[in-house]
Amino acid sequence: MKQIDFGQVATSYAKAREDIPVSLMDSLYVRGIFFDGRKVADIGCGTGALTRKIAMRKAEVTGVDPSKELLHHAVALNRTKNYTIPYLQGTSENTGLDDSKFDIVTVMRAWHWFDRELAIAEMKRILKEKGTLIVIDSGFLAGSSVIEKTFEVLSRYISGGLKPAGTKANSSQRINGFPVEWFDEWQTNGFALRDFYKLNYNVSFTKEAWIERVESISWLAGLEIDVRNEALNALTESLSGHEAFVIPHECNVCILRLQE
């Protein structure tokens, strides 16, 4: 699997990846996930969008990400929003966090970039007994004219076509976007499935904001800068008749409980 350096598009990532549905935290609360007073590790935290949502719920949250550029933006965003959330540069396979310290581990838009066998072992190491692992993924849905135009333009620049991100590309069957083998791996390693559900939501974009959102995705982050800029310019021109639009999204949430 080719690793993507999202630090190359950190500025766009910081602007465009705050689109967490407002219903997410309430949906966890009604399912018995209480953050108040809990120790939480957010792995693959990027620019800290989810860590800030968790901090709002009065958890003691720490973010971990391999990209120093994304973490720099996380700290800057926290400063503007009056949060003091600690961040560590680390990976899902080697977080640098203490053993058996966390009540909850969250992973959003990142599990498909992990070495899953090593990541599962690391999650088990840092979680307390019977701790909770929450794996979340979200993204825009195909079908709207803007999305179809975006796919049409990007396909000219992405070698090999527009494949699912990370290890999702290796899976022949997915449930709500999650490869079926993930569930077997979690169960085999002592994580029992508590809930798995989907949230639908809409995100409004200006054309400029949509271009930034597209730049932040792995298809673009993996391109050479000249090719990436050419693709973004072509997309901007193709959307000349669109100045503002609403894009349907979905958010898929898997709640797991450590049984060992």
Side-chain angles (χ1 to χ4, degrees), residues 185-206:
E185 292 164 0
W186 289 325
Q187 183 175 22
T188 299
N189 286 279
F191 284 99
L193 181 64
R194 283 190 54 197
D195 209 336
F196 183 45
Y197 61 96
K198 175 167 56 176
L199 303 170
N200 290 101
Y201 63 109
N202 293 322
V203 180
S204 298
F205 292 91
T206 63

Side-chain angles (χ1 to χ4, degrees), residues 47-203:
T47 53
L50 184 57
T51 64
R52 288 183 286 277
K53 295 285 189 183
I54 294 170
M56 287 178 64
R57 297 283 174 143
K58 300 181 180 180
E60 184 181 329
V61 59
T62 300
V64 177
D65 199 273
S67 171
K68 63 181 181 181
E69 293 87 358
L70 295 184
L71 293 178
H72 173 78
H73 281 278
V75 172
L77 285 166
N78 286 354
R79 194 176 298 119
T80 65
K81 300 173 186 290
N82 296 317
Y83 288 108
T84 54
I85 300 168
Y87 294 104
L88 297 176
Q89 187 175 4
T91 66
S92 62
E93 302 84 9
N94 183 16
T95 62
L97 299 171
D98 293 340
D99 293 355
S100 305
K101 180 177 180 179
F102 295 93
D103 302 288
I104 302 170
V105 170
T106 57
V107 178
M108 185 165 189
R109 298 169 176 160
W111 193 263
H112 51 285
W113 296 115
F114 297 170
D115 180 319
R116 300 194 303 277
E117 181 178 357
L118 296 178
I120 288 173
E122 184 72 347
M123 303 304 107
K124 293 174 71 175
R125 183 185 70 79
I126 66 175
L127 275 168
K128 295 179 181 179
E129 184 178 354
K130 296 185 178 180
T132 298
L133 172 63
I134 304 173
V135 181
I136 308 166
D137 204 6
S138 67
F140 51 79
L141 298 173
S144 68
S145 60
V146 170
I147 296 297
E148 295 309 309
K149 177 60 72 173
T150 299
F151 287 169
E152 177 188 335
V153 173
L154 296 187
S155 64
R156 304 177 207 156
Y157 298 90
I158 311 295
S159 177
L162 304 179
K163 298 178 180 178
T167 57
K168 289 181 183 179
N170 303 326
S171 179
S172 60
Q173 185 178 0
R174 294 188 293 276
I175 303 173
N176 288 353
F178 281 40
V180 294
E181 54 267 29
W182 292 4
F183 298 94
D184 290 336
E185 292 164 0
W186 289 325
Q187 183 175 22
T188 299
N189 286 279
F191 284 99
L193 181 64
R194 283 190 54 197
D195 209 336
F196 183 45
Y197 61 96
K198 175 167 56 176
L199 303 170
N200 290 101
Y201 63 109
N202 293 322
V203 180

Side-chain angles (χ1 to χ4, degrees), residues 235-251:
L235 180 58
T236 301
E237 292 177 7
S238 74
L239 296 176
S240 58
H242 299 77
E243 296 304 325
F245 35 83
V246 175
I247 302 294
H249 285 59
E250 72 176 22
C251 178

Side-chain angles (χ1 to χ4, degrees), residues 212-227:
E212 289 175 339
R213 176 71 174 86
V214 171
E215 184 178 15
S216 77
I217 63 180
S218 59
W219 294 329
L220 274 293
L223 294 177
E224 296 294 331
I225 186 169
D226 291 345
V227 179

